[in-house]
Amino acid sequence: MKMTVASIAMHYTSMLSTASQPVFNRPVITEREYHISRALNLTLLSLMVVLSVATVGLKAMTLAFIEDNHDMGFVFETGDPEPTVLAALPGRLYTAPAKLAIVAGVVAFVIGVVHAACVLWDWKRGKFTQSYAFRRNSMFLHFCNSVLVLFSLVSIFITHKSTSHFHERYIMRQADRFNDPNNPFNNSTDNDGIRYNIGTFDLETWSCELKTVEGARRVWSEYERQCSIEMAGRILVIPFMITAFLIAGACIAQMMRCRRDANGERMKTEEVSMEMGKFNAI
């Protein structure tokens, strides 16, 4: 097959025109990546908000139980004809872990709601949430929040590990002392009731142990309900902490992914838009 000079010239002309086209002549599609990132952030933030609300609710029930029963008592069955009134709560009780958990939950709730609102408001454009300032601030806030949740978890588990335990023999000895008419320390003030003053308890251990003591049979249901609340509150802090650290890690990763210029400086949103406009130029 013969080729004319004109056809050969047209062939090489088309090849040269194709080679002379600019390399960066197609837009870079990053919208799908941004949508996935925002969807992941929104999912984790929603989970953290739910866990923070549950944590605050359970720990508020803990403090409410302590407040309502601080000066209350019940008849402890010792087998003696004289009734023995035992205080509903021990003399020393850990309350700081519950208060710290409430603070951590409230802080996480506020941060999570504000961050989620920003993500939803900027869902289509993604310019505000992808900015350098927003990534920096969210990284700092979520990192501080994760540390606060970690402190809360550590305090709850340390106090639960170091708590005292209920010994029924102590109540029996105190009851015998108060019911002895020959005891010089037996007076009307002491007979108002007995308070367990050995050691320091967390509310979970106190309620979970008293719900099975024979002498406290009359209040088993109340202690059993509070025992379930305390166990749920302690276990719930674990996924709460994991979620907080996952969000903090995601914020740090997004911060590290901010584009850099030729000098190694992180580019702001306007600079990123300008550079991406150059790539999309035809």
Side-chain angles (χ1 to χ4, degrees), residues 5-26:
V5 176
S7 63
I8 294 174
M10 292 178 62
H11 176 69
Y12 280 101
T13 301
S14 62
M15 291 179 61
L16 290 174
S17 62
T18 304
S20 61
Q21 292 181 356
V23 177
F24 304 110
N25 64 339
R26 294 181 178 85

Side-chain angles (χ1 to χ4, degrees), residues 21-30 34 259-262 267 270-282:
Q21 292 181 356
V23 177
F24 304 110
N25 64 339
R26 294 181 178 85
V28 179
I29 301 175
T30 58
Y34 288 160
R259 298 181 183 274
R260 297 177 182 269
D261 58 15
M267 295 187 295
E270 294 78 8
E271 296 171 348
V272 173
S273 301
M274 181 180 63
E275 295 298 325
M276 293 302 295
K278 294 179 181 178
F279 283 119
N280 295 337
I282 299 177

Side-chain angles (χ1 to χ4, degrees), residues 143-162:
F143 178 76
C144 294
N145 175 64
S146 63
V147 172
L148 183 59
V149 176
L150 177 62
F151 284 164
S152 174
L153 180 141
V154 170
S155 65
I156 290 174
F157 276 84
I158 287 180
T159 54
H160 180 70
K161 185 69 175 180
S162 60

Side-chain angles (χ1 to χ4, degrees), residues 151-189:
F151 284 164
S152 174
L153 180 141
V154 170
S155 65
I156 290 174
F157 276 84
I158 287 180
T159 54
H160 180 70
K161 185 69 175 180
S162 60
T163 182
S164 303
H165 296 279
F166 182 82
H167 296 286
E168 191 173 359
R169 293 190 302 272
Y170 172 78
I171 304 300
M172 296 300 183
R173 290 197 301 268
Q174 293 295 98
D176 292 339
R177 183 170 68 88
F178 290 145
N179 294 330
D180 184 5
N182 298 322
N183 190 345
F185 299 100
N186 186 7
N187 52 56
S188 59
T189 304

Side-chain angles (χ1 to χ4, degrees), residues 11-268:
H11 176 69
Y12 280 101
T13 301
S14 62
M15 291 179 61
L16 290 174
S17 62
T18 304
S20 61
Q21 292 181 356
V23 177
F24 304 110
N25 64 339
R26 294 181 178 85
V28 179
I29 301 175
T30 58
E31 189 65 22
R32 183 173 181 271
E33 180 182 355
Y34 288 160
H35 279 164
I36 294 175
S37 175
R38 289 196 289 269
L40 179 61
N41 283 338
L42 189 60
T43 301
L44 290 175
L45 289 170
S46 302
L47 180 59
M48 186 179 73
V49 168
V50 172
L51 292 174
S52 64
V53 170
T55 300
V56 171
L58 290 173
K59 294 306 176 184
M61 294 173 68
T62 296
L63 296 181
F65 184 86
I66 294 174
E67 183 68 22
D68 294 340
N69 296 280
H70 183 266
D71 296 324
M72 303 297 291
F74 62 93
V75 177
F76 191 88
E77 299 176 2
T78 60
D80 296 333
E82 294 293 331
T84 299
V85 178
L86 176 65
L89 296 175
R92 290 183 293 275
L93 194 66
Y94 292 114
T95 58
K99 296 177 181 178
L100 182 59
I102 290 178
V103 172
V106 171
V107 171
F109 175 80
V110 173
I111 294 176
V113 168
V114 173
H115 193 170
C118 292
V119 172
L120 289 175
W121 175 74
D122 198 43
W123 181 267
K124 291 183 178 180
R125 297 182 61 190
K127 183 177 180 180
F128 177 70
T129 55
Q130 298 297 327
S131 65
Y132 174 83
F134 184 86
R135 291 186 177 189
R136 178 196 59 203
N137 295 336
S138 61
M139 178 190 68
F140 174 76
L141 291 175
H142 282 291
F143 178 76
C144 294
N145 175 64
S146 63
V147 172
L148 183 59
V149 176
L150 177 62
F151 284 164
S152 174
L153 180 141
V154 170
S155 65
I156 290 174
F157 276 84
I158 287 180
T159 54
H160 180 70
K161 185 69 175 180
S162 60
T163 182
S164 303
H165 296 279
F166 182 82
H167 296 286
E168 191 173 359
R169 293 190 302 272
Y170 172 78
I171 304 300
M172 296 300 183
R173 290 197 301 268
Q174 293 295 98
D176 292 339
R177 183 170 68 88
F178 290 145
N179 294 330
D180 184 5
N182 298 322
N183 190 345
F185 299 100
N186 186 7
N187 52 56
S188 59
T189 304
D190 291 330
N191 285 332
D192 290 341
I194 301 173
R195 187 175 293 274
Y196 199 99
N197 289 320
I198 299 179
T200 306
F201 287 81
D202 69 328
L203 187 56
E204 178 183 348
T205 301
W206 176 260
S207 57
C208 290
E209 290 185 352
L210 275 177
K211 74 175 184 178
T212 57
V213 174
E214 287 295 330
R217 182 181 293 273
R218 297 184 181 184
V219 290
W220 274 3
S221 59
E222 287 79 5
Y223 282 123
E224 184 176 4
R225 181 171 57 253
Q226 193 62 34
C227 174
S228 302
I229 293 173
E230 296 303 317
M231 291 181 63
R234 180 169 58 90
I235 296 174
L236 189 65
V237 181
I238 299 176
F240 184 26
M241 183 205 68
I242 294 175
T243 305
F245 269 93
L246 285 176
I247 296 175
C251 291
I252 293 174
Q254 290 174 359
M255 180 66 187
M256 299 303 294
R257 288 174 57 188
C258 284
R259 298 181 183 274
R260 297 177 182 269
D261 58 15
N263 297 325
E265 297 292 334
R266 299 190 187 278
M267 295 187 295
K268 307 299 187 292

